[in-house]
Amino acid sequence: MSILHTVNKSPFEKMSLDSCIDHVKGESAVLLYEDGVYAALKGTGAAEKLASVMETTKVYMLGPDVKARGLAADKLLEGVEVVDYAGFVDLAAEYDKVLAWV
Amino acid sequence: MSEDIKKFMYVNRRAPYGTIYAWEALEVVLIGAAFDQDVSLAFLDDGVFQLMKGEDTGDVEMKNFSPTYSALGDYDVTKLYVEKESLEERGLTVEDLMPLKYEDEDDDWAEKDSIRLVSRKEMAELMDEQDVLFSF
Amino acid sequence: MKFAIQVNEGPYQHEASDSAYQFTKAALEKGHEIFRVFFYHDGVNNGTRLTTPPQDDRNVVQRWSELAEQHGLDLVVCVAAAQRRGIVDEGEMQRNGKDANNIAPGFRISGLGQLIEAAVQSERLVVFGD
């Protein structure tokens, strides 16, 4: 079975992303939203961690939260797919269940 | 067992008392026990602090809800998965936790440990097997 | 698909209620069913009609009420969490001898069993929190 893991915390403040990544299995996916989107900032330890799971696991980020925080595309890790709220809904439906790392 | 039975896991990642999440999560577990689902609790990250022995909230004047964990067995909530790495990272072992027990009706009411120590990898697999994951 | 939504935080302090609202709205627009939105922990504070945000900001509570009216959403506030935090409807007001109630239109106060039932009945539970 597969899980959509959602992370809404900045990796610079909380360890939710670390904890999430330590429990992700290949067929699952990670969605960064709210302050979780800061994890996609290029050149950071968080982005490195994301890149390491991206070989086996899809990583998404919520566009409206990225935009609200002024994060330009050139500052963000390549390969993280941007979705809108409708895309969030699609992901929640596509994977067997959702685990919120609140 | 009906086909409607789902595997429910309550995911506990927060310490008690500093916020109310742990206590209100436990309230959900108690109510949920009446619904005959296949229930388990996961304790990882700061969630492992919920099960510490010797909690005494007298001086902070908050409700000490730790005895409630001992009652879970009576509600047929008998699977409390505690993540080994989370304990170790916090300098703890299972000996620091309350000795939670239940009586196994399928084994002549033998007293058994409710706490099941699992590795991070096993925890990930357990999460994967669930139908519903509650977070608080 | 049938979704259950759990909201663990109140309005304004956290983005959780905003995210939950946008998710719910998007799901409805895509033709999914929202079986129930369950407000727990400080999330019960989404259910007070006494909120008065500045006019140039979104009205989180009213937005939920309007969505409920448009789509017949079931917005349930947990009674135990609500009693602790002073979210009161007519029945709770009388039961607990209070002099007022504050529940917003479209919300109702009920027990935790409603969360469990929502998780049993729905194909997905999506949790929004801190």
Side-chain angles (χ1 to χ4, degrees), chain C residues 1-5 24 27-28 32-38 71-76 108 113-124:
Chain C
M1 185 171 270
K2 212 186 278 186
F3 285 92
I5 309 292
T24 302
L28 290 166
H32 294 297
E33 182 190 337
I34 301 291
F35 181 81
R36 179 168 297 143
V37 184
F38 191 84
H71 297 277
L73 273 187
D74 190 20
L75 306 181
V76 176
R108 64 188 180 92
Q114 299 273 304
L115 171 62
I116 307 294
E117 190 208 13
V120 172
Q121 296 294 328
S122 305
E123 292 158 273
R124 295 288 183 278

Side-chain angles (χ1 to χ4, degrees), chain C residues 52-128:
Chain C
T52 317
Q55 286 203 338
D56 62 351
D57 197 0
R58 74 232 187 269
N59 189 324
V60 173
V61 174
Q62 197 182 319
R63 220 168 41 173
W64 278 117
S65 292
E66 285 167 5
L67 199 65
E69 197 186 352
Q70 287 159 18
H71 297 277
L73 273 187
D74 190 20
L75 306 181
V76 176
V77 172
C78 168
V79 62
Q83 284 173 339
R84 288 191 177 111
R85 294 164 179 86
I87 303 299
V88 181
D89 64 6
E90 182 73 30
E92 284 294 301
M93 180 179 93
Q94 287 177 3
R95 220 177 343 271
N96 299 307
K98 302 293 177 186
D99 60 0
N101 68 70
N102 59 351
I103 195 90
F107 288 81
R108 64 188 180 92
I109 295 181
S110 189
L112 272 172
Q114 299 273 304
L115 171 62
I116 307 294
E117 190 208 13
V120 172
Q121 296 294 328
S122 305
E123 292 158 273
R124 295 288 183 278
L125 171 71
V126 187
V127 180
F128 295 88

Side-chain angles (χ1 to χ4, degrees), chain A residues 29-46:
Chain A
V30 177
L31 169 70
L32 308 170
Y33 76 115
E34 297 180 1
D35 288 346
V37 298
Y38 290 119
L41 279 171
K42 241 192 315 209
T44 65

Side-chain angles (χ1 to χ4, degrees), chain B residues 4 6 8 10 14 20-29 31-33 35 37 63 131-136, chain C residues 6 8-9 14 40-42 80-81 84-85 112-117 119-125 127 129-130:
Chain B
D4 293 337
K6 286 189 173 182
F8 275 17
Y10 299 95
R14 309 214 205 223
I20 198 172
Y21 299 106
W23 172 222
E24 288 191 331
L26 197 49
E27 289 188 327
V28 178
V29 175
I31 298 289
F35 281 75
Q37 304 297 314
K63 183 185 166 82
D131 295 309
V132 184
L133 294 154
F134 289 88
S135 310
F136 301 99
Chain C
Q6 182 186 329
N8 289 345
E9 299 298 335
H14 295 93
Y40 197 44
H41 302 302
D42 275 0
R84 288 191 177 111
R85 294 164 179 86
L112 272 172
Q114 299 273 304
L115 171 62
I116 307 294
E117 190 208 13
V120 172
Q121 296 294 328
S122 305
E123 292 158 273
R124 295 288 183 278
L125 171 71
V127 180
D130 171 32

Side-chain angles (χ1 to χ4, degrees), chain B residues 1 6 8 11 13 16 19-20 41 52 61 71-72 77 81 84 86-87 90 95 99 102 104-105 112 122 129 132-133:
Chain B
M1 300 278 276
K6 286 189 173 182
F8 275 17
V11 179
R13 297 183 48 245
T19 60
I20 198 172
L41 275 66
M52 291 291 284
E61 298 186 4
L72 288 176
V77 176
Y81 298 107
K84 200 165 154 276
S86 294
L87 282 177
R90 287 158 182 79
E95 302 302 314
Y102 72 101
D104 189 351
E105 58 179 316
K112 296 187 177 172
E122 288 167 324
E129 289 167 10
V132 184
L133 294 154

